[in-house]
């Protein structure tokens, strides 16, 4: 199997433009045309993980966390990042990271946490902006339906639970071709008046190339008139964190036990217990303290995440119970999520879950 076949699947699950600005998700080491015989899936990529890949004859490592966050200027093996990358290159092992882009999708990291905690009726806590664009184009009335359908077929006009969404206005267009023109309607050198339909459709930024390809391939005009606008609308299915409800509300102590057991956490850090039951729950895999105000605004009774600093616990202000389960603990089931998605598409591909616990934090109990 070619490497690009797997990366295409991963990027369909979690498009790269969904990642945060600071992130480095995507193919870090390797060429898309490399032949891949087996993949090892892990939360973190370390020297130990590369050794495991070598031992198991896996020439692809898929990790949640990128081994390289910032640009490397030298490869001298002076730290674990350089040593890990060097070892992967020397052994022809491709490295791929699927990080905050997987955090952002509706069926990603946060959905996995909700599933394990029994949180239902979920929605994105803070939807992203800057992901949607609008295409506006014009054609003769008789060609409008064919063009609309061609755009719908490649993903334009999909809004949440609805497809084939467009807005259409009938009007009159004018044009005059020069001596080199070959107009579909009328003659060169003569101003023509055409009864046209203005078609507007929304699409996701990552689909722009195929949207434009469909437009040019199916538009009857010699010169295609179109506009593309970047929208500030929020895409409700993509963003940071998730919020939903427990099927049955729980007293705080029982909720904490649920979290500890189902997330296989060694220890929980939490704010003091409030005199109310837990029904509405917000979650965020990894470092989620930046979402505390949003969790409170959403009316959550508890916020399950990781990496809260000491003074940030005060910010709960008795409005919500913060439950810090640890960074590794909040994301440890991401590997299972990735394996399930890859096996569903490529059932005969050899994909393995790492046997190593890469959590750099240990607990003395």
């Amino acid at each position: 199997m070619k490497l690009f076949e797997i990366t295409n699947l991963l990027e369909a699950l979690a498009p790269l433009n969904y990642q945060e600005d600071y992130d480095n998700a995507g193919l870090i080491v390797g060429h898309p045309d490399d032949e891949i015989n087996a993949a090892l899936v892990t939360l973190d990529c370390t020297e130990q993980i590369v050794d495991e890949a070598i031992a198991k004859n896996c020439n692809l490592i898929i990790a949640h966390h990128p081994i390289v966050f910032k640009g490397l200027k030298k490869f001298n093996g002076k730290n674990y990042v350089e040593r890990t990358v060097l070892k992967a290159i020397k052994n022809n092992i491709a490295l791929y990271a699927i990080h905050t882009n997987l955090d952002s999708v509706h069926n990603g990291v946060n959905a996995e946490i909700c599933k394990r905690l029994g949180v239902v009726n979920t929605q994105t806590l803070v939807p992203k902006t800057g992901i949607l664009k609008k295409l506006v184009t014009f054609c003769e009335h008789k060609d409008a339906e064919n063009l609309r359908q061609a755009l719908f077929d490649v993903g334009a006009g999909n809004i949440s639970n609805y497809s084939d969404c467009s807005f259409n206005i009938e009007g009159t267009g004018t044009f005059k071709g020069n001596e080199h023109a070959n107009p579909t309607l009328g003659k060169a050198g003569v101003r023509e008046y055409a009864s046209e339909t203005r078609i507007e459709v929304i699409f996701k930024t990552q689909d722009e190339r195929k949207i434009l390809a469909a437009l040019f391939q199916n538009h009857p005009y010699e010169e295609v008139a179109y506009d593309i606008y970047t929208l500030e609308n929020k895409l409700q299915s993509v963003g940071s964190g998730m919020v939903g409800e427990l099927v049955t509300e729980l007293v705080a102590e029982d909720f904490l036990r649920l979290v500890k057991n189902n997330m296989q956490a060694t220890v929980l850090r939490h704010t003091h217990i409030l005199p109310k039951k837990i029904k509405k729950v917000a979650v965020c895999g990894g470092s989620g303290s930046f979402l505390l105000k949003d969790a409170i605004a959403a009316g959550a009774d508890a916020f399950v995440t990781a990496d809260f600093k000491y003074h940030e616990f005060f910010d709960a202000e008795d409005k919500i119970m913060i439950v810090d389960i640890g960074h590794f603990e909040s994301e440890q089931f991401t590997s299972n999520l990735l394996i399930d998605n890859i096996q569903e598409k490529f059932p005969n591909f050899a994909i393995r879950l790492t046997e190593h616990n890469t959590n750099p934090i240990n607990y003395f109990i």
Side-chain angles (χ1 to χ4, degrees), residues 112-125:
E112 186 68 19
I113 296 173
C114 287
K115 182 177 74 173
R116 292 182 179 274
L117 296 181
V119 176
V120 298
N121 302 325
T122 58
Q123 60 186 32
T124 305
L125 184 59

Side-chain angles (χ1 to χ4, degrees), residues 42 58 72 78 89 99 118 125 142 177 236 254 320 322 336 352 356:
T42 178
C58 296
L72 296 178
K78 65 181 179 181
I89 293 173
H99 191 210
L125 184 59
K142 65 183 179 63
Q236 297 298 323
D254 288 340
I320 195 171
I322 297 170
N336 304 86
R352 299 179 173 88
H356 296 291

Side-chain angles (χ1 to χ4, degrees), residues 154-350:
V154 291
N158 289 336
I159 303 175
S160 187
N161 296 322
Y162 297 86
S163 63
D164 295 11
C165 300
S166 69
F167 185 74
N168 304 270
I169 305 173
E170 294 186 358
T172 302
T174 66
F175 63 89
K176 181 169 72 172
N178 62 24
E179 66 273 18
H180 303 294
N182 182 26
T184 303
L185 177 68
K187 298 178 180 180
V190 178
R191 181 190 298 163
E192 300 291 345
Y193 293 81
S195 296
E196 293 184 314
T197 299
R198 171 187 171 117
I199 302 171
E200 301 184 12
V201 289
I202 289 177
F203 64 91
K204 295 176 183 176
T205 300
Q206 65 267 24
D207 294 333
E208 183 169 340
R209 181 176 296 180
K210 63 182 181 180
I211 297 294
L212 288 178
L215 174 67
F216 295 136
Q217 289 169 10
N218 293 276
H219 203 294
Y221 291 178
E222 182 181 28
E223 292 290 340
V224 179
Y226 71 96
D227 302 309
I228 291 180
Y229 304 94
T230 298
L231 304 179
E232 290 302 313
N233 303 50
K234 294 179 179 180
L235 183 56
Q236 297 298 323
S237 60
V238 176
S240 301
M242 192 162 279
V243 63
E245 297 178 336
L246 297 173
V247 175
T248 304
E249 63 181 13
L250 298 172
V251 296
E253 292 86 348
D254 288 340
F255 177 73
L256 291 171
R257 277 188 282 270
L258 171 72
V259 173
K260 188 173 187 297
N261 292 334
N262 290 16
M263 297 303 297
Q264 298 179 14
T266 303
V267 64
L268 303 181
R269 299 192 303 153
H270 63 88
T271 50
H272 69 267
I273 292 173
L274 302 175
K276 64 176 180 178
K277 291 185 176 181
I278 307 297
K279 177 65 174 179
K280 196 168 190 178
V281 177
V283 308
C284 178
S287 303
S289 61
F290 71 102
L291 292 174
L292 178 60
K293 291 182 179 179
D294 299 288
I296 293 172
D301 303 307
F303 182 28
V304 180
T305 185
D307 295 349
F308 263 83
K309 296 179 181 179
Y310 175 84
H311 288 96
E312 291 174 332
F313 281 88
F314 288 109
D315 295 332
E317 295 193 273
D318 291 339
K319 297 176 181 178
I320 195 171
M321 182 170 69
I322 297 170
V323 185
D324 188 322
I325 66 176
H327 198 117
F328 176 88
E329 288 78 7
S330 71
E331 298 178 331
Q332 61 184 308
F333 301 111
T334 301
S335 297
N336 304 86
L337 171 68
L338 291 171
I339 288 175
D340 289 344
N341 276 273
I342 294 172
Q343 286 184 330
E344 182 179 358
K345 179 68 175 180
F346 303 118
N348 297 320
F349 177 68

